[in-house]
Amino acid sequence: MPRSYQPEETPPMKSEDMTRDLVKLPLVLRRLAGQPTEWQPLAKVLLAVDSETRVPTGRQLQQELGIPPSRFRRWLETLYAAYLNQLETDADAVEFKQVEHQLILTGSRASQVFSCRLPVTPRVGEQLQLDFLRAVTGEYMFYVESITHDFTDGRYVVLVYLKHGYYNAYQHQLRERSRFEETISLSVGYHAPDYLLDDMLRERYPRRRSRPGRRSCLIKPKPATEVVHHLEDAVGKANCAITQWSISE
C-alpha cells in the first residue's frame, strides 16, 4: 500500500527571517516607515540598519524600542504583512533598472568571472565562444551549464555558469540520474572533467545489447534499452541544433 501524504502545518515565521527580509529592500521599507501606524517606530529603526551587516536580534530591537516581546512580535508581524502586500500589489515597489550579466567561466587552466550587459541571456546548453580569455582559462569554447537570477538591492544580476567544452544533453540527463540515484557524488559530478565523467557514467549505466531471439506476433512495449537508444539518437540530433554564441572584443 502506498503511503499517504499528510501535509504538515505551516510553522510560524521566525523573527530574524522577517527582519532580514525587511532590511534587504530599503526602498519598500522607506515607504512603510512613512506611514503613521503603530509599527512605524520599528520600521524607522530597521531602515537605519545596514543590510550588509549582521541584522540585529529581536531582543536588541526590543531593548532599543523599549517594548515588551509580545508587542514587538505584533509590530513585526503587521509590518511584515504590509511589506508583503506592497510586493504583491505594487509592481513599482521595487524597480530593477540595472541588468547585469556575470559569466562564471570554468576552464581547464583556471576559472574567471566576466561582468557585462548582454542584450539577450544565453540559455542552458548554448555554446559561447570567448576568444579573449584564453590565456587565463586555457579555453575559448564554453557552454551554459546553469543560470541563476539574483535580485538584490535593486540590482538584477544574471549569473551564467559556463563550462569549457561542448554541451552533451545525454550526459546531462545521466548526470542528473546519477545525482538522483546517488551513484556519483555531487562534488565529482560537478567538478570532474567531461572525459572522466563520461567514463564514470558509462561504467554506471552501460548500454545493454538486445539478445537475438524469436519474434512474437504480439505487440509488446519497447524495452527500456531500446527507448534509451532512441533517446540517444534524438539527443544527437538536438546537439547538432544547439545555438552557438560568439563574443569577441
Side-chain angles (χ1 to χ4, degrees):
M1 293 290 293
R3 293 181 298 176
S4 60
Y5 172 71
Q6 298 294 335
E8 299 179 358
E9 295 184 1
T10 304
M13 291 181 289
K14 297 180 180 180
S15 297
E16 57 182 351
D17 292 340
M18 289 188 285
T19 303
R20 183 178 60 250
D21 288 351
L22 290 166
V23 301
K24 284 293 184 180
L25 291 180
L27 295 177
V28 178
L29 189 58
R30 185 174 292 108
R31 287 188 181 185
L32 298 174
Q35 300 178 9
T37 58
E38 179 189 28
W39 40 257
Q40 187 182 39
L42 174 60
K44 290 183 177 180
V45 169
L46 293 178
L47 189 59
V49 175
D50 185 2
S51 61
E52 299 299 327
T53 61
R54 186 175 181 180
V55 177
T57 63
R59 180 173 296 183
Q60 292 173 333
L61 293 171
Q62 294 169 31
Q63 294 176 352
E64 184 172 352
L65 293 168
I67 58 177
S70 59
R71 186 183 304 176
F72 169 76
R73 181 69 186 187
R74 185 177 74 248
W75 284 11
L76 183 60
E77 287 181 347
T78 52
L79 172 59
Y80 194 76
Y83 164 83
L84 293 179
N85 182 67
Q86 281 281 322
L87 296 179
E88 182 178 350
T89 59
D90 189 357
D92 297 324
V94 183
E95 296 184 7
F96 298 97
K97 296 181 179 179
Q98 299 294 329
V99 180
E100 176 184 337
H101 290 80
Q102 286 190 2
L103 309 184
I104 297 92
L105 290 75
T106 300
S108 58
R109 179 188 177 277
S111 299
Q112 179 65 33
V113 177
F114 170 46
S115 298
C116 58
R117 302 188 193 278
L118 299 175
V120 179
T121 300
R123 297 169 297 180
V124 172
E126 292 186 336
Q127 298 291 146
L128 275 75
Q129 181 174 324
L130 304 169
D131 58 357
F132 51 89
L133 293 171
R134 190 181 303 192
V136 62
T137 63
E139 303 288 340
Y140 72 95
M141 186 65 72
F142 300 83
Y143 65 86
V144 181
E145 188 173 30
S146 63
I147 297 176
T148 300
H149 300 264
D150 182 28
F151 302 88
T152 306
D153 296 334
R155 295 176 60 220
Y156 173 24
V157 182
V158 183
L159 304 174
V160 183
Y161 294 88
L162 303 174
K163 192 173 182 180
H164 70 88
Y166 297 86
Y167 184 73
N168 186 319
Y170 186 56
Q171 182 207 73
H172 180 77
Q173 291 180 354
L174 288 181
R175 185 172 61 184
E176 292 300 315
R177 177 182 174 183
S178 67
R179 184 179 68 171
F180 177 76
E181 298 179 355
E182 298 182 349
T183 58
I184 296 178
S185 65
L186 288 176
S187 59
V188 173
Y190 283 104
H191 297 100
D194 283 345
Y195 72 90
L196 178 59
L197 186 59
D198 287 343
D199 292 340
M200 297 180 69
L201 290 173
R202 292 190 187 100
E203 181 181 352
R204 270 32 170 212
Y205 308 107
R207 293 180 58 178
R208 299 178 181 178
R209 299 185 179 275
S210 59
R211 296 180 179 178
R214 298 173 60 184
R215 295 186 178 181
S216 173
C217 60
L218 298 177
I219 300 177
K220 297 181 179 180
K222 294 182 178 180
T225 53
E226 187 174 348
V227 175
V228 171
H229 295 165
H230 284 305
L231 178 60
E232 289 178 334
D233 295 338
V235 169
K237 296 178 181 178
N239 283 337
C240 297
I242 290 179
T243 307
Q244 178 170 313
W245 288 54
S246 177
I247 303 178
S248 56
E249 294 177 304

